């Protein structure tokens, strides 16, 4: 077995891991075993993450001695994913967000795993709303929903204290978020509040901000068609909020080209007081960006207006359509073992938690269950002794999230429309005279053209 740990150790001096694919011995795998290339972590993950993965890899290969698992660095990014998929550079097993799954399966770019999921016996345990994200019109299944999240407000407890704010009483309204951001910027010189704006994340977070104010950027007509509704009062209010923080309060710092990776990096470095992202980002913050757990806080997203809710999402584990039948069978074995059994089986849950804890990785990060609530609560009980995330510092989220009804992401041309919205968020943050109404009106027209296939 050639593990990611070997690669990390050999490249420690330059603190980077270019690719873990080199750990294989060839297309036939090690000693004639079937080689299975699987997605691991984004570039920059620390050695401890790979140590945990190596331990899990050993466990899997002990149970499946004919399979040689090869870890490959992987991070989904909207602008580059399509090219990676078309070019065949993705691993055999990788993950994609819910927003891409429908388009990919409709284009024949995902492997049908209906028979395999049914044979595994837990198809009926999935949250049906989440399972629908990977089903076609006939109910066929094209992936394994592995994790889900609701949007939350992440905040730096140290910066709160430096600004004279109580980190145990985080903001509950957008007005309070604004006040806290202003206080942090004034007291520390850091960005009190930051916003993702690039690589489709600006559109993603604008959709989330609109939903939190009762707005939806798209209407599902129920017949396979969609109507763009970007220019709604919720979206306008979200952009006006950013405009106030940026130009009136000057509380957003100076970097307005942040995406998921860079905003996490800046937050982990203590340069951002608050930002919004999925509730599950704590794992990446600690594992990939070396955030200090003691400085981390999480609470629910403030909601305002009728029909407001936190945008929900997640990702699915999928199999490349180019694999052979033998590789497909191995891929299903890996996905079931690595992603699913820790949610379904006590021994697997404890084994996974033990491996993570042994390598100082997060156990117990807040998520939305992809399986039914009973199964989820049972899995939490199994790993209760191993949970090492600062639950007290996340109490605002745990106490409130089940009272908030998640809002699904828009389904039609999702990533393309998110990309359309990136420049709007950037414009509001870089041009004090940006005309929000005009920008949204044009975005609606452009989005509808995408939805109509023009």
């Amino acid at each position: 077995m050639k593990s990611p740990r070997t690669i990390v150790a050999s490249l420690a001096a330059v603190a980077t891991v270019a690719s873990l694919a080199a750990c294989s011995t060839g297309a036939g795998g090690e000693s004639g075993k079937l080689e299975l290339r699987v997605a691991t972590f984004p570039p920059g993950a620390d050695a401890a993450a790979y140590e945990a993965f190596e331990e899990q890899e050993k466990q899997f290969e002990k149970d499946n001695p004919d399979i040689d698992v090869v870890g490959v660095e992987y991070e989904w990014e909207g602008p580059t994913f399509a090219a990676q998929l078309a070019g065949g550079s993705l691993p055999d097993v990788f993950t994609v967000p819910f927003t891409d799954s429908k388009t990919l399966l409709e284009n024949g770019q995902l492997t049908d795993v209906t028979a395999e999921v049914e044979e595994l016996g837990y198809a009926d345990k999935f949250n049906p709303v989440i399972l629908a994200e990977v089903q076609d019109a006939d109910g066929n299944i094209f992936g394994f929903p592995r994790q889900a999240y609701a949007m939350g407000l992440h905040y730096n407890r140290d910066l709160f204290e430096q600004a004279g704010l109580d980190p145990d009483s985080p903001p509950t309204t957008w007005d309070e978020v604004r006040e806290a951001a202003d206080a942090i910027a004034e007291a520390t010189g850091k960005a009190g509040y930051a916003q993702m704006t690039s690589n489709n994340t600006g559109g993603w977070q604008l959709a989330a901000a609109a939903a939190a104010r009762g707005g939806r950027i798209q209407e599902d007509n129920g017949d396979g068609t969609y109507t763009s509704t970007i220019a709604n009062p919720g979206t306008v209010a979200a952009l006006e909020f950013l405009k106030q923080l940026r130009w009136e309060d000057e509380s957003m710092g100076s970097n307005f080209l942040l995406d998921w990776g860079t905003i996490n990096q800046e937050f982990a470095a203590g340069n951002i007081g608050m930002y919004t992202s999925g509730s599950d980002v704590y794992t990446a913050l600690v594992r990939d960006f070396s955030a200090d757990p003691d400085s981390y806080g999480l609470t629910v997203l403030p909601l305002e207006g009728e029909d407001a809710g936190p945008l929900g999402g997640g990702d699915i584990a999928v199999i490349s359509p180019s694999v052979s039948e033998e590789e497909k069978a191995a891929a299903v074995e890996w996905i079931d073992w690595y992603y699913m059994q820790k949610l379904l089986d006590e021994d697997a849950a404890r084994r996974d938690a033990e491996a993570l804890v042994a390598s100082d990785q997060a156990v117990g990060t807040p998520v939305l269950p992809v399986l039914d609530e009973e199964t989820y609560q049972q899995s939490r009980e199994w790993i209760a002794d191993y949970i090492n995330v600062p639950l007290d510092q996340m109490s605002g989220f745990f106490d409130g999230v089940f009272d908030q009804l998640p809002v699904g992401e828009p389904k039609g041309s999702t990533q393309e429309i998110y990309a359309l919205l990136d420049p709007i968020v950037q414009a509001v943050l870089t041009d004090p005279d940006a005309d929000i109404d005009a920008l949204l009106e044009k975005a609606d027209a452009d989005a509808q053209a995408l939805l109509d296939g023009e």
Side-chain angles (χ1 to χ4, degrees), residues 289-307:
F289 302 99
S290 302
D292 178 5
D294 291 339
S295 69
Y296 177 79
L298 172 67
T299 190
V300 289
L301 213 61
L303 302 182
E304 295 180 357
E306 186 177 350
D307 204 26

Side-chain angles (χ1 to χ4, degrees), residues 42-221:
D46 62 19
Y50 287 103
E51 289 170 3
F53 180 85
E54 179 186 17
E55 181 61 31
Q56 293 164 319
E57 180 188 15
K58 288 178 180 177
Q59 293 170 359
F60 175 80
E61 292 185 347
K62 181 179 179 180
D63 294 341
N64 299 271
D66 295 331
I67 301 173
D68 177 22
V69 172
V70 177
V72 180
E73 281 191 345
Y74 171 79
E75 181 177 13
W76 183 92
E77 290 185 346
T80 58
F81 175 79
Q84 291 175 314
L85 183 63
S89 62
L90 292 170
D92 302 320
V93 177
F94 55 96
T95 59
V96 295
F98 289 164
T99 52
D100 255 29
S101 58
K102 290 291 188 183
T103 300
L104 292 173
L105 71 87
E106 288 170 0
N107 291 341
Q109 294 171 309
L110 297 180
T111 298
D112 188 331
V113 292
T114 308
E116 289 78 6
V117 174
E118 291 178 348
E119 184 175 350
L120 286 166
Y122 49 76
D124 60 347
K125 282 187 173 291
F126 281 108
N127 179 329
V129 175
I130 291 177
L131 185 63
E133 298 291 340
V134 296
Q135 289 179 302
D136 63 13
D138 297 322
N140 297 310
I141 302 171
F142 289 81
F144 294 71
R146 70 167 189 112
Q147 66 176 10
Y149 63 82
M151 208 61 60
L153 179 68
H154 307 264
Y155 64 97
N156 185 302
R157 294 174 60 88
D158 291 343
L159 294 183
F160 264 59
E161 290 181 349
Q162 292 173 34
L165 302 169
D166 183 359
D168 293 325
S169 298
T172 60
T173 68
W174 289 111
D175 284 343
E176 290 179 1
V177 170
R178 181 182 178 184
E179 292 168 4
D182 193 32
I184 291 169
E186 181 69 23
T188 70
K190 306 291 181 66
Y193 185 88
Q195 182 84 5
M196 299 182 213
T197 65
S198 60
N199 290 331
N200 302 14
T201 63
W204 172 47
Q205 287 303 300
L206 182 57
R213 294 165 172 85
R216 307 288 187 273
I217 69 168
Q218 189 178 103
E219 180 180 344
D220 186 341
N221 298 323

Side-chain angles (χ1 to χ4, degrees), residues 17 28 125 207 226 289 296 342 428:
V17 184
K125 282 187 173 291
Y226 304 92
F289 302 99
Y296 177 79
K342 62 187 176 184
V428 169

Side-chain angles (χ1 to χ4, degrees), residues 277-324:
S277 188
S279 59
D280 59 343
V281 79
Y282 174 85
T283 297
L285 286 170
V286 175
R287 181 191 69 201
D288 304 332
F289 302 99
S290 302
D292 178 5
D294 291 339
S295 69
Y296 177 79
L298 172 67
T299 190
V300 289
L301 213 61
L303 302 182
E304 295 180 357
E306 186 177 350
D307 204 26
L311 195 71
D315 63 36
I316 59 174
V318 297
I319 301 170
S320 168
S322 64
V323 299
S324 67

Side-chain angles (χ1 to χ4, degrees), residues 32-51:
K33 296 180 180 181
L34 183 145
E35 178 183 287
L36 184 70
R37 300 172 69 250
V38 304
T40 56
F41 310 112
D46 62 19
Y50 287 103
E51 289 170 3

